[in-house]
Amino acid sequence: MRPWLRRCLLTVSVFALCWTGSIAYWRDSTRMPAPGELAGAMLALPLALLLMLWLGKKLLLRLLAGPALAAAPGLAAPLQAEAAAPPALPAPLQIVAASLRMPGGATPAELLAAMRSRQARPALDEELLDEDGYPLLCGRVEGIDEEAQQQLLAAWLREHPQAGLASDPFPFNPEDLRALALGADVLADLLDEALQHALSAGTAASPASVAPMLRLHPLMPASWSAAQRQAGDAWLRHLAREQGWPAQTLLPADEPGTRQPAPFALLNQLAVHAPTQPPCLAIVLACDSGLGELRAHALSSQGQLFSAGQANGQIPGEGAAGLLLASPGAAAPLDEPAPVLLHRAATGELPQGASQQGKTDKSMLADLCRQALAAAGGDAAAGIALVSADTDQRANRMLELMQCAGALLPQLDLGEQVLGVGAACGQCGAVTTLAALAMARQAAADDGTHVLCLSNLDPLQRGALVIGPPAENSHSAT
């Protein structure tokens, strides 16, 4: 329901309640009210009640925010602190393009439109059943051919054996195949965007020689082994070469066994290392699928699967999402829209056990938001028009998100301008976070405004960053 309509209904309800009660009282007392009583009951009383409701709402938000309203270091610093120059932050990266495949939409624009109209939501799935044979609530992407994906991957594994991974029996489950198929679609979109970007920049005379240096950073499902992640990385690079991307311009993969970073931490690493490396494009891509019987039963046995009796459980989802990034300060082609800025992320980690029900530290996300807004410039907070988060439907995650947004961004309507991708599409790890980033990039490009992107889906990791506006409209001095 739209905010103005809710306010109108509330006002009409208060006036109707006051008038009905006053008329009933005068009828029972069998006397005619004086003009002062009439004005007080018909006008002054409803207005007083509306004022009390408005003040009560403001007070409740402050009380709920609790520690989130504590002044963060630097926001109200004394004048003496200004004399010490803070360390220079890395220049913001540029988001050239974004792509995704999610249950709520096949493009960032579709997902943003579906979430704004509340058309994106999980549904009962006839293929994924619980232990009693009833369909589970989940977010499924239609149109994935698992058999065709298995044939392609099996043939490639036989020709290109991967260390620590046997090709027989086949080492990937059906949900793993779905994840790789979705990731391949997103990779193809981003490679096309990268080639078009390079062609528009006029860095070479022919498509065969125009491909710039490219770093590929795939984020594979957290449940995969190191050998599976390495094989998935190699598979995506194989697909990139098949699409025509020159092998010599694909920079080497990370060292095998390297711990996979969280999305916000990875983006910060790219921004920090960008000034010391040759200019290049980078693709950050995540793919995952939780729509498998083994995963569903594992969640159920741990009491973490959403059901009628477990409202705080997870809703399985699947999808893929990715960003095409350019080095800070790179000149955009004249015939392309200005790239959207990706400012430095503020990240943190909760202590062990703090993510249990009722124990989440809700102040950390608010502190990280302040740091992210400061990194984006002094006027960023006033210019925030949307909050895009990876938050799912679990009460503790949603309460953490709403308290943070309500305390720091009172100009936003929490029901209309704070969007949680996990609540609409189901939970699928890093994919949900990158999908929130892709959706934020779309909103910033469409509206020319700042968008705050938050991450609190992970049990321990927390993050916040600001996206936008496009470089030509940005006046921040980061």
Side-chain angles (χ1 to χ4, degrees), residues 58 61-62 64-73 75 346 362-374 378-387 399-414 418 452-454 463-466:
K58 294 294 183 182
L61 284 176
R62 289 181 177 274
L64 284 176
L69 288 175
L75 287 184
K362 300 179 178 61
S363 65
M364 175 178 285
L365 190 62
D367 291 339
L368 296 177
C369 283
R370 294 188 183 95
Q371 297 174 31
L373 292 170
D379 60 344
I384 297 294
L386 182 75
V387 174
L399 181 62
E400 182 182 20
L401 172 66
M402 292 301 175
Q403 286 184 4
C404 175
L408 301 181
L409 303 169
Q411 74 272 21
L412 298 186
D413 183 288
L414 300 184
V418 180
L452 179 62
C453 198
L454 303 179
L465 62 80
V466 175

Side-chain angles (χ1 to χ4, degrees), residues 322-403:
L323 304 175
L324 176 63
L325 305 171
S327 302
L334 295 177
D335 58 345
E336 283 190 4
V340 173
L341 296 182
L342 176 71
H343 295 276
R344 181 171 176 81
T347 60
E349 184 172 333
L350 296 170
Q352 290 291 336
S355 63
Q356 298 299 319
Q357 182 178 357
K359 297 181 180 179
T360 304
D361 180 5
K362 300 179 178 61
S363 65
M364 175 178 285
L365 190 62
D367 291 339
L368 296 177
C369 283
R370 294 188 183 95
Q371 297 174 31
L373 292 170
D379 60 344
I384 297 294
L386 182 75
V387 174
S388 176
D390 60 8
T391 311
D392 63 8
Q393 89 297 335
R394 287 175 288 179
N396 58 350
R397 300 299 201 279
M398 191 60 69
L399 181 62
E400 182 182 20
L401 172 66
M402 292 301 175
Q403 286 184 4

Side-chain angles (χ1 to χ4, degrees), residues 125-470:
D125 192 282
E126 297 181 355
E127 299 181 39
L128 189 62
L129 307 178
D130 63 12
E131 297 176 351
D132 298 322
Y134 293 105
L136 289 174
L137 196 66
C138 66
R140 179 181 292 273
V141 178
E142 301 295 338
I144 302 176
D145 191 339
E146 298 174 17
E147 294 184 3
Q149 180 65 30
Q150 180 170 347
Q151 293 174 4
L152 289 172
L153 191 57
W156 177 78
L157 283 174
R158 287 192 295 268
E159 296 178 4
H160 304 84
Q162 298 297 305
L165 201 66
S167 59
D168 189 20
F170 189 69
F172 292 101
N173 294 323
E175 60 267 29
D176 302 332
L177 295 172
R178 297 180 67 84
L180 289 173
L182 292 166
D185 287 346
V186 169
L187 178 63
D189 288 350
L190 295 177
L191 288 174
D192 284 341
E193 292 285 353
L195 188 57
Q196 292 300 320
H197 179 77
L199 282 169
S200 300
T203 57
S206 65
S209 60
V210 76
M213 300 300 291
L214 178 68
R215 294 185 182 277
L216 180 59
H217 298 273
L219 298 175
M220 296 301 174
S223 60
W224 284 14
S225 65
Q228 286 178 311
R229 291 200 300 269
Q230 184 180 353
D233 179 281
W235 168 250
L236 292 179
R237 291 173 183 276
H238 162 73
L239 294 179
R241 292 189 294 270
E242 273 200 338
Q243 193 169 333
W245 200 270
Q248 65 272 18
T249 65
L250 268 178
L251 296 176
D254 295 333
E255 289 296 327
T258 301
R259 181 184 177 186
Q260 193 165 260
F264 282 20
L266 175 58
L267 294 174
N268 276 351
Q269 292 175 17
L270 295 178
V272 169
H273 295 153
T276 63
Q277 296 174 344
C280 68
L281 297 176
I283 290 178
V284 177
L285 182 150
C287 58
D288 199 354
S289 175
L291 305 192
E293 293 183 1
L294 292 178
R295 288 207 194 183
H297 290 165
L299 287 175
S300 179
S301 63
Q302 298 167 7
Q304 297 180 5
L305 183 66
F306 178 86
S307 65
Q310 180 54 274
N312 284 321
Q314 300 178 27
I315 297 177
E318 66 179 357
L323 304 175
L324 176 63
L325 305 171
S327 302
L334 295 177
D335 58 345
E336 283 190 4
V340 173
L341 296 182
L342 176 71
H343 295 276
R344 181 171 176 81
T347 60
E349 184 172 333
L350 296 170
Q352 290 291 336
S355 63
Q356 298 299 319
Q357 182 178 357
K359 297 181 180 179
T360 304
D361 180 5
K362 300 179 178 61
S363 65
M364 175 178 285
L365 190 62
D367 291 339
L368 296 177
C369 283
R370 294 188 183 95
Q371 297 174 31
L373 292 170
D379 60 344
I384 297 294
L386 182 75
V387 174
S388 176
D390 60 8
T391 311
D392 63 8
Q393 89 297 335
R394 287 175 288 179
N396 58 350
R397 300 299 201 279
M398 191 60 69
L399 181 62
E400 182 182 20
L401 172 66
M402 292 301 175
Q403 286 184 4
C404 175
L408 301 181
L409 303 169
Q411 74 272 21
L412 298 186
D413 183 288
L414 300 184
E416 302 289 335
Q417 294 173 289
V418 180
L419 306 179
V421 175
C425 302
Q427 206 259 55
C428 52
V431 175
T432 317
T433 307
L434 282 181
L437 288 167
M439 193 172 67
R441 181 260 174 191
Q442 184 69 41
D446 290 347
D447 304 332
T449 59
H450 291 90
V451 177
L452 179 62
C453 198
L454 303 179
S455 177
N456 71 338
L457 184 63
D458 188 87
L460 300 177
Q461 300 291 332
R462 294 293 181 269
L465 62 80
V466 175
I467 288 180

